[in-house]
Amino acid sequence: MKETIFFIKQLQEKGLKITPQRQEIIRVFLESKNNHLSAEDVHNQIAEKFPSMSLDTVYRNLSVMQQLGILTELNFGERKNLFEINSSQHHHHLVCTKCGVSEEIDFCPLEFLDADKVKNFKVKKHSFEIFGICANCME
Amino acid sequence: MKETIFFIKQLQEKGLKITPQRQEIIRVFLESKNNHLSAEDVHNQIAEKFPSMSLDTVYRNLSVMQQLGILTELNFGERKNLFEINSSQHHHHLVCTKCGVSEEIDFCPLEFLDADKVKNFKVKKHSFEIFGICANCME
DNA sequence: CTAAGTGCAAAACTTTTGCAGGCGA
DNA sequence: TCGCCTGCAAAAGTTTTGCACTTAG
């Protein structure tokens, strides 16, 4: 997969070693249907193919990759932290508080934010999430 | 304080008992300079005046008050969950990732969000936070 | 070869829960 | 008085850390 190589090169450029464990983590994020994965999710999905890999390693690498900007840490107010791989386009979500499903939304508030409002502040990243009840749960 | 009474009445209306512990929690939120407090923060600030109050009670009440809409749970990606008391106006924040200080911003993305984008979704609440480096830390 | 990375085990931390007694309405 | 609330203690669950061994470059 071409995209996999793109992320692996990012590791390389930042001076990180390319271990099988790290490749597996990237693979899981790219192949998973769900964009938002917890450390445990990642570990479970890897376990099928690679049972010896420890959860500790997942934690350590999610943390490293997040610092490098390969992953973004999300926080929907649950106990577990969720991570998302940074595709070229970032996006925000509608999160159903009943069933937990999240859907991407094509809207970014930063486009509407007047630069004056963030004067004297160097914006690095932002979060915008909408919580509510999805169509399925509404019935 | 008039505002205190407002929040205490909310407890009453929802059928909750007005215990000294609950009054203390509300007081801390109203008196604290920092709008965003973790369970431990609240507990520490109460400890000075009321050392016998347990952290468990803080947790239980933050949870209850959040369900009643008296408090909002925030999540800036730290380990601890933070809570904020709901004044009449909600607001969003600039959060400095260096020093942790957060500043309110006078902008709400929902005002700019086309209703079409959230069709078939019942919006209950939302989060919008901007992370970066504040003026102080920039020097 | 050697620094970075990993697995194991244990610890650290935050949050939740069961239970018996206490207290507000 | 009655049922909600609290404190205590213990458990549960997630994330971090120390250490010795392994491995990518």
Side-chain angles (χ1 to χ4, degrees):
Chain A
M1 225 194 251
K2 221 173 65 187
E3 229 184 340
T4 311
I5 296 170
F6 169 73
F7 287 109
I8 289 183
K9 276 199 175 149
Q10 287 196 37
L11 286 180
Q12 224 162 16
E13 283 167 17
K14 318 259 182 169
L16 295 183
K17 292 186 176 170
I18 301 173
T19 63
Q21 291 88 339
R22 284 178 178 157
Q23 293 184 59
E24 278 299 294
I25 291 175
I26 289 173
R27 183 188 60 75
V28 166
F29 272 101
L30 292 175
E31 291 183 4
S32 172
K33 283 174 199 160
N34 193 338
N35 292 326
H36 308 141
L37 301 174
S38 68
E40 205 188 354
D41 294 337
V42 172
H43 185 242
N44 286 342
Q45 292 198 37
I46 291 176
E48 299 163 15
K49 296 197 179 181
F50 200 158
S52 69
M53 180 163 166
S54 79
L55 183 56
D56 322 50
T57 299
V58 176
Y59 272 112
R60 271 189 279 233
N61 282 315
L62 293 182
S63 173
V64 170
M65 291 182 185
Q66 198 232 158
Q67 283 166 42
L68 297 187
I70 295 174
L71 300 176
T72 298
E73 190 173 350
L74 302 170
N75 240 309
F76 294 167
E78 288 147 36
R79 183 97 164 255
K80 291 184 184 182
N81 292 338
L82 300 179
F83 292 82
E84 177 183 59
I85 198 158
N86 289 337
S87 51
S88 44
Q89 275 283 30
H90 81 276
H91 40 249
H92 303 287
H93 307 94
L94 301 177
V95 182
C96 179
T97 52
K98 273 239 168 100
C99 66
V101 161
S102 66
E103 187 187 337
E104 292 180 11
I105 184 173
D106 172 29
F107 169 85
C108 177
L110 283 202
E111 291 170 20
F112 297 88
L113 180 64
D114 188 354
D116 277 4
K117 307 241 180 191
V118 289
K119 234 193 286 191
N120 299 322
F121 189 89
K122 178 156 188 172
V123 174
K124 294 282 194 180
K125 60 175 195 167
H126 64 286
S127 70
F128 173 55
E129 310 298 338
I130 299 178
F131 302 91
I133 312 294
C134 74
N136 268 344
C137 293
M138 210 124 59
E139 298 157 6
Chain B
M1 228 195 247
K2 221 172 62 186
E3 228 183 341
T4 311
I5 295 170
F6 169 74
F7 287 108
I8 289 181
K9 275 198 176 152
Q10 288 196 38
L11 286 179
Q12 224 163 16
E13 282 166 18
K14 318 261 182 168
L16 295 183
K17 292 188 176 167
I18 301 174
T19 63
Q21 291 89 338
R22 285 177 177 158
Q23 294 183 59
E24 279 297 296
I25 291 176
I26 290 173
R27 182 187 62 74
V28 166
F29 272 101
L30 293 175
E31 291 183 4
S32 172
K33 283 174 200 161
N34 193 339
N35 291 327
H36 309 141
L37 301 173
S38 68
E40 204 188 355
D41 293 337
V42 172
H43 185 243
N44 286 341
Q45 292 197 37
I46 290 175
E48 299 162 14
K49 294 195 179 182
F50 200 156
S52 70
M53 181 164 167
S54 80
L55 182 57
D56 322 51
T57 300
V58 176
Y59 273 112
R60 272 189 277 233
N61 282 314
L62 292 182
S63 173
V64 169
M65 290 181 186
Q66 198 231 157
Q67 283 166 43
L68 297 188
I70 296 174
L71 300 176
T72 298
E73 191 173 347
L74 302 171
N75 240 309
F76 294 165
E78 288 147 35
R79 181 96 166 258
K80 293 183 182 182
N81 291 338
L82 299 180
F83 292 81
E84 175 182 61
I85 198 159
N86 289 338
S87 50
S88 44
Q89 276 284 30
H90 82 275
H91 41 250
H92 304 288
H93 308 94
L94 302 178
V95 182
C96 179
T97 52
K98 273 241 169 96
C99 66
V101 161
S102 66
E103 188 187 335
E104 293 180 10
I105 184 174
D106 172 29
F107 169 86
C108 177
L110 284 202
E111 291 171 20
F112 297 88
L113 180 64
D114 188 353
D116 276 4
K117 306 241 180 193
V118 288
K119 234 194 285 192
N120 300 323
F121 189 89
K122 177 156 187 173
V123 175
K124 293 282 195 179
K125 60 175 196 168
H126 63 285
S127 70
F128 173 55
E129 310 297 337
I130 298 178
F131 301 91
I133 312 294
C134 72
N136 268 343
C137 292
M138 210 122 61
E139 298 156 9

